[in-house]
Amino acid sequence: QVQLKESGPGLVQPSQTLSLTCTVSGFSLTSNSVSWVRQPPGKGLEWMGAIWSGGSTDYNSALKSRLSISRDTSKSQVFLKMNSLQTEDTAIYFCTRSGVYYGLSDWYFDFWGPGTMVTVSS
Amino acid sequence: DIVMTQSPSSLAVSAGETVTINCKSSQSLFWSGSQMNYLAWYQQKPGQSPKLLIYYASTRQSGVPDRFIGSGSGTDFTLTISGVQAEDLAVYYCQHHYDSLPYTFGAGTKLELK
């Protein structure tokens, strides 16, 4: 069955770089696109960026200068790197799979990982 | 950016009631090429990741009970839950999936027990 799971450090110091990994199973990264979505404690959801099934990327312009998304299809893993972290980047980070409708990728999110909490603090 | 505005922000209900959650987008989510509206709804329970309920404004995700009904077109959308059950208490989010980055979410509507 389709599964996604995020992993990474729970604590990052201010100004440092966050590196997260999303390991997927039950589908191929060359067939479905994957996005990263984050949620600050007690707040709403923010789409951060995505890597398309073809390998190209799109980013939220609010984060674009700090964010990089890549993948290793042989390991079924998607990576997020975000630099210059600040306390406001404290959030649960989710990786999500984009839906496919009649063979075309679309940007609703049909499967989500459980999320990983990242705290930015010294 | 397309701004998604949800109302109300919270709603207190009794089991068995029918509830309506509204979502308004700052621009039309209807694309004439497909004749579809690019609006999704999610349910998030405490400590869990969001769960897709509805996409294309009214298409129910596999396994979602038919008491969840999505409707609307253009800029105004509604999620109706007919006969609320205790397990439906959660926060509900709308999200546009129109071809316009970024894919933004509403601020959420918290469904609570009266």
Side-chain angles (χ1 to χ4, degrees), chain A residues 42-63:
Chain A
K43 296 190 177 181
L45 300 160
E46 179 183 34
W47 178 81
M48 301 179 69
I51 187 160
W52 288 73
S53 55
S56 61
T57 52
D58 278 318
Y59 301 107
N60 189 323
S61 56
L63 301 170

Side-chain angles (χ1 to χ4, degrees), chain A residues 67-117:
Chain A
L67 183 61
S68 175
I69 297 174
S70 60
R71 70 182 185 182
D72 183 334
T73 55
S74 67
K75 294 183 178 179
S76 294
Q77 291 181 324
V78 176
F79 309 105
L80 175 148
K81 285 192 190 311
M82 189 163 69
N83 58 32
S84 304
L85 253 63
Q86 301 302 321
T87 54
E88 52 265 35
D89 294 313
T90 293
I92 300 172
Y93 286 75
F94 299 99
C95 58
T96 74
R97 191 187 83 158
S98 292
V100 174
Y101 192 73
Y102 286 100
L104 294 177
S105 188
D106 203 334
W107 297 101
Y108 56 89
F109 308 119
D110 59 0
F111 288 91
W112 297 63
T116 187
M117 181 69 202

Side-chain angles (χ1 to χ4, degrees), chain B residues 4 8 10 26 82 85 107:
Chain B
M4 307 299 293
S10 65
S26 61
S82 299
Q85 299 185 8

